[in-house]
Amino acid sequence: MFHIYCPHCAEYREEEEFHAAGQAHIARPLDPEACSDKEWGEYMFFRKNPRGIHHELWVHAAGCRKFFNMTRDTQSYEIKEVYKIGEKPSVVAE
Amino acid sequence: MTQQNRLQSGGRIDRSKSLTFTYNGKQYKGFQGDTLASAMLANGVNVVSRSFKYSRPRGIVAAGAEEPNAILQLGATEATQVPNVRATQQELFNGLVSQSTNGWPNVDTDVMSVLGKVGGKMMPPGFYYKTFMFPESLWNTYESLIRKAAGMGRSPLENDPDFYDHINQHCDVLIVGAGPAGLAAALTAARSGARVILADEQSEFGGSLLSTTEKLDGKPASEWVSAVTEELRSYDDVMLLPRSTVNGYHDHNFVTIHERCTDHLSDIAPVNQARQRLHKVRAKWVVLATGAHERPLVYSNNDVPGCMVSGAVSTYINRYGVVPGNELVVTTTNDYGYQSALDWHDAGRKVVAVVDTRANPAGERVDAARQRGINVITGSAVIDVQGSKRVSGVSVAPISADGNKVSGSVTKLSTDTVATSGGWSPVIHLSSHTGSRPIWNDEIVGFVPGPTVQKQLTAGGINGSYNTNSVLSEGLEAGLKAVAEVGLNAAEVILPIAEDVKEGAAMTLFHIPHVKPTSQAPKQFVDYQTDVTAAGIELACREGFESIEHVKRYTAMGFGTDQGKLGNINGMAVAAKALNKTIPQTGTTIFRPNYTPITFGAIAGRNCGALFDPKRYSAMQMWHVERGAKFEDVGQWKRPWYFPQAGENMQQSLDRECLAVRDSVGILDASTLGKIDIQGKDAREFLGRIYSNAWAKLAVGKCRYGLMCGEDGMVFDDGVSACLGDNHFLMTTTTGGAARVLEWLELYHQTEWPELEVYFNTVTDHWSTLTISGPNSRKLLAELTDYDLSNDNFSFMDWKQIKVAGVPARVFRISFTGELTFEINVQANYGTHVWEKLFEAGAKYNLTPYGTETMHILRAEKGFIIAGQDTDGSVHPFDLGMGWCVSNKKPFSYVGKRGMNRQDCVRDNRKQMVGLKTKDPKMVIPEGAQAVLDPNEPIPMKMVGHVTSSYWSANLGHSIAMGFIKGGLDKMGETVYYPLVDGTVIEAEICSPIFLDPKGERQNV
Amino acid sequence: MSDLNVMTAAEMAATKAAVMDQVPGPEIQGQSPLHHADLDSLAKVGPKQGGVHLREHKLLGHLTLRLNPENDDQLAAAERVLGVALPLQPLTSVENGSYSVRWMSPDEWLILVPGLEAFDVESKFRDEMGGHYSLVNSSGGSTVLELSGPDVVELLKRCTPIDLHPKLFPVGKVVSTVFAKSSAIIRRTGEQRFELVIRRSFSDYIWLWLQETSREFGLVVKV
Ligand SMILES: [Zn+2]
């Protein structure tokens, strides 16, 4: 059970208030029609599965309903930081 | 009954409060303050179980959570049966009823004991491992055999009369264990103003101080314990939890505590009191002050009742006033082992000898024993025990200085009790729950907590500190650190001082040699509960298992309900010796939640019966209940499924409901549909990007059906959205999809298109939706409104804001049945009013309530899909024959467009939605049935599709079905076959899924 | 919008957002989500002593306001309508007489007003406020429970994982959170008094849950 700081509510809440929404920073191609099947497939289906630092998209589903990003260590489960949509992570894998 | 082992005075029991209890049908007496175990020992009960594999009689070994043998069944009635209770932790109460569990039919005369000798061969070590290699189907057979033979306790056959509680807690510092370290930490934190939770599994705080003769500041240790406890109780922000086992340590300092609130009072909890409580704690810092468990030595027949760990003997004497035997032999590798001899002697019973593996023991306790005239035999060990249901004597022999072999002749001593001490194992379980791997410490000969990412501190025995003064100061230090970390100023705490007892060095020894090699010596038990012996571990090593994790799985060591608290380190030592490695080289030892077994009641808490899962109701629920509706689960909603009348079965109800809608008028409670209010000048643009069809030109006052696809092009939800105002839409979703769709819209808005000016809000619960459908629906509605409902004024796919039965309403002329339909939406507080008014006016039209099943049939007659039933995430709009609902003219590449055009989505021969008409009109194809082209093809047959919806249509007089067929849209009129499990084959013709009114005339009148 | 039965499409289009007085005249009594529980009778015949007191504030006007908190014009307009500024600090609330406003999200507030005033307030917003915003009447979708008494915190700890310690959850704080496996908006209105806004469809379940979890304290239903 994670303890997650919501950057919008500005306090820690229990994991059960949140939904994980997959890998963060997957931008929708601006011109999908210009994408080859391979490119579209990359966007649609391929995700990282790192051991260690990972950037994830979460939503405070039972709270403010806002999405935000989280940098998390998938091995230790430490949450290194949370940051709002549009912001860049400050903790990144080496 | 006499309590022959009870002392006249001493201990923390109340001799004025006599309690009666039952063990295996026999009545005994004990005192307030006893555990079940101490009371059994007071009464001279020797055998408490039969062993798992060899069916050997077993007695009480320990005095706490580590007890492997005294695992009893409790309960005076069928409903109050509790398995898996450790007698050493169960407080005695008047009327307690207990049973042994292992052994068949009882522990004293065991039919298995004859087989027991054979049992060793029947189930050699590796039984589990080897059995798993058999075909899986055999495993069930073996498992039931093992369970029957072992008797693991049983669950009650009646409902538990008690209730169990769950509670959420928050604190600055959670302190686990209220021994000297925990109390010092708690006092420091509490005095400094921290929010503190102090939890201890025992009935009273004090831990080791409750059973010691040691003094603090020259006074009995219990005085300090009382003073500290009292001070802690005076702080508002301190929560004291006795009888509370910290059972699990999870990520981010989330900790579960199992509190036994009334287990010590009676068989059934007092009225309105929870029996047990599970605390879910989020702690900023956790201080583990869990102490250590004494390690028994491994010698032959060390499981005969009367063999105990030394500290437990002291605990029974000092805390409970019980001397668990008449004569004592101690076998030890260290000074602490002498303590039980001193206590035993001082209690006035005979100490036969202390047998010390060290050649030259020197320490204050050794001196004290000698001063009392106790026979101290050095450089020797108890290598074997005589007796079956109780120790009758021991074999003592000198051993070599390295402890590896017997170095002299064996002498026999007569005794009924053996106390053993091989040193201490820190209780590191909780620290390893979050994945931290313990590390070996040669100095203390044990594992200590390893590095962790948790905000965790440790103090006292868990660190391998056993001297009371260091334990106290480690507690204080942990308290100070925690206080500083949470940003508080530390208050002053002055610790009491214990007398320092000088100790000689301990010898590192786990496995006592026998005159015979281990494989031929009488059994030397390592793990009592799973009957793992030293010989078994050596065999595992010989068979090539080198990692301790593999050895454990091969032998089942540590797999009992006690998780091998006593045996794991000894087992690792035996394996290390056999493999010629050090203990840390064989691996480490990991424990998982829960620390001790927890009841299902505590896990379930209030989440049972009516509260098992939330049930969602519409505003008209009471009406449905009163009309005898049968309900269907749709997500968490309870929706009326059908409304049977007296004497009707389900199909008869459905037939009647279906005919009523097509002949006159029916009413459906559609309130559960997801409803999302969308406002903003870009609302229309947003809909166009999310739905597959066009929204740019939908006028105010109009409704439109839309399909929602994922980026892969696959349909995931659908519904009608209405244009309420230029900048205002009301979207409807499927009942089950409401929350998911709202989150989907927010996802795209917040992460992809934040520049679009639009807001989404759920209004699902706000509106009651009353759907009247059928040729007479207009006449019915006209009775409740003055508004002109004519087709010219209020056309199909219009919505109007009118009053219905005096209540302001938004009425949508949309249809899911294919009939003339009005969906009346009113604020839910008025839903029942309008519903009832409709029935008052509807009697003359035979207004018939219908449920979800009739709704499903009626829409299937029209070939309308249900997202989630006819779609499964692998079909796009064209597969559904719904290309009309896809716009390729929209400038923006809406969600799903690119996905739909992937190579795989545009290939030939995809499965396509078709109608299916059975050759025998009475046959209804089961949903999920697979289609084949040739029913005589040998198995495996080539499957070309499956049925997604299938019903009996009373209106048409034949069955109808929808389903997928490869290339189905080009196969109209062809025949497919559905072979069923029972051997029958249903023949069906591929047809249009629209079985009724293909031109849509009925809904457009 | 004098007579909604004769409003033309053009009139409706002109409003951009469709506003509607959803409450009929006084001759039709609305039914709150807990109507079937008949709390009024329980208040009469039920226990009078207990550690937790429950009262339903039913049929209030619930309005959800969404706007950009950086738009000063809109903030000023909201203050004109409500007589009090929107709380911009996360998890806070403000009151003005019978109006109360809860921060729900950086761009969302829940406003409670007397039931019959919902349409007036909504109309005032439409008159006063320009630009991009949304206002939704959700009065039928929820109800308000007031829980109070010496054991109220103990009870709430059995329902929600939120930390209710007075230092971290002072009077006026509001959170939207999980509650009894569903959800609730919880606001502290006194040292031992809380207000819950719960969803209609879950209200029966929450009512059952509160009865069960208050067993150790005793539940007193009040009118
Ligand atoms: Zn939030």
Side-chain angles (χ1 to χ4, degrees), chain A residues 4-11 13 17-18 59-68, chain C residues 91 103-106 176:
Chain A
I4 300 171
Y5 186 85
C6 172
H8 301 284
C9 293
E11 70 174 24
R13 295 291 181 85
E17 292 191 8
F18 299 85
V59 57
H60 193 183
C64 61
R65 302 200 288 127
K66 293 288 181 235
F67 284 81
F68 60 93
Chain C
L91 313 179
W103 184 99
M104 301 296 299
S105 169
S176 176

Side-chain angles (χ1 to χ4, degrees), chain B residues 266-281:
Chain B
S266 47
D267 196 50
I268 298 180
V271 69
N272 282 338
Q273 287 189 39
R275 182 169 194 92
Q276 300 180 350
R277 182 170 290 136
L278 190 72
H279 298 257
K280 303 188 215 176
V281 185

Side-chain angles (χ1 to χ4, degrees), chain B residues 227-297:
Chain B
V228 172
T229 308
E230 216 161 291
E231 181 177 338
L232 289 173
R233 200 168 280 132
S234 72
Y235 298 110
D236 283 346
D237 275 343
V238 173
M239 181 181 299
L240 301 181
L241 295 175
R243 303 187 174 95
S244 299
T245 304
V246 177
N247 248 333
Y249 191 166
H250 307 270
D251 296 307
H252 303 180
N253 272 17
F254 184 73
V255 179
T256 49
I257 306 179
H258 178 209
E259 181 187 7
R260 295 166 297 279
C261 313
T262 60
D263 281 18
H264 62 293
L265 295 178
S266 47
D267 196 50
I268 298 180
V271 69
N272 282 338
Q273 287 189 39
R275 182 169 194 92
Q276 300 180 350
R277 182 170 290 136
L278 190 72
H279 298 257
K280 303 188 215 176
V281 185
R282 191 63 78 171
K284 289 198 179 116
W285 281 84
V286 170
V287 176
L288 298 178
T290 45
H293 288 150
E294 196 170 18
R295 208 158 50 222
L297 290 167

Side-chain angles (χ1 to χ4, degrees), chain B residues 632 640-642 650 654 658 851-858 951:
Chain B
E632 179 185 28
W641 191 18
Y642 59 100
M650 182 173 175
L654 299 177
C658 285
T852 50
E853 193 65 17
T854 289
M855 181 257 282
H856 283 197
I857 298 169
L858 296 173
Y951 312 92

Side-chain angles (χ1 to χ4, degrees), chain B residues 72-83:
Chain B
L72 302 184
Q73 179 90 16
L74 246 62
T77 67
E78 183 54 40
T80 55
Q81 290 299 308
V82 187

